[in-house]
Amino acid sequence: MSAATAGDGPWLDDAAGRLVRPFTISDGRTRPSIALDLMSQVMATGVTPLGYLGPEHSQALDLCRVPVPVAEVAAHLKLPAAVTKVLLSDLVDCGALTTKPPAYHQHLTDRALLEAVLDGLRRQL
């Protein structure tokens, strides 16, 4: 059994897995301070956070050099989405990250397209 040292990212043990439980990473908080969807885009602003936030915050900030969805950050950090949202909201609160809601298509149905499909179906019958 070998344990990783403190500077090697998340503390892992080959047999036991993660030695630090996810709720300790978020200081026991379960709700982010801002609303984040799994598909919300987060991106680093270039502002350096004041004070110590933790290694997971630094890892998340490194991942967000380009716009990336919250779900992808959670996957890379190997943390539950709820914990990742709390970490990202901490970074947004200190100005190190900016968020953008997911882009949903406003016009999911184009009437002209639907009429063309209907006309084509009618010709087939």
Side-chain angles (χ1 to χ4, degrees), residues 55-78:
E56 289 81 8
H57 288 90
S58 297
Q59 291 171 346
L61 200 52
D62 287 341
L63 291 169
C64 298
R65 292 182 184 164
V66 297
V68 61
V70 171
E72 191 171 327
V73 175
H76 283 288
L77 294 178
K78 296 181 176 132

Side-chain angles (χ1 to χ4, degrees), residues 104-122:
Y104 294 113
H105 297 288
Q106 297 296 326
H107 304 289
L108 296 177
T109 56
D110 180 7
R111 185 174 178 95
L113 175 64
L114 291 176
E115 287 176 356
V117 170
L118 183 59
D119 289 342
L121 290 173
R122 284 184 180 150

Side-chain angles (χ1 to χ4, degrees), residues 7-65:
D8 291 342
W11 293 354
L12 299 175
D13 181 293
D14 292 339
R18 182 182 277 276
L19 296 176
V20 177
R21 298 291 176 222
F23 63 85
T24 60
I25 294 169
S26 64
D27 292 329
R29 293 172 292 142
T30 58
R31 296 178 196 255
S33 59
I34 60 167
L36 287 171
D37 186 274
L38 286 177
M39 295 309 296
S40 294
Q41 299 284 314
V42 289
M43 184 174 171
T45 61
V47 174
T48 304
L50 298 175
Y52 178 77
L53 291 176
E56 289 81 8
H57 288 90
S58 297
Q59 291 171 346
L61 200 52
D62 287 341
L63 291 169
C64 298
R65 292 182 184 164

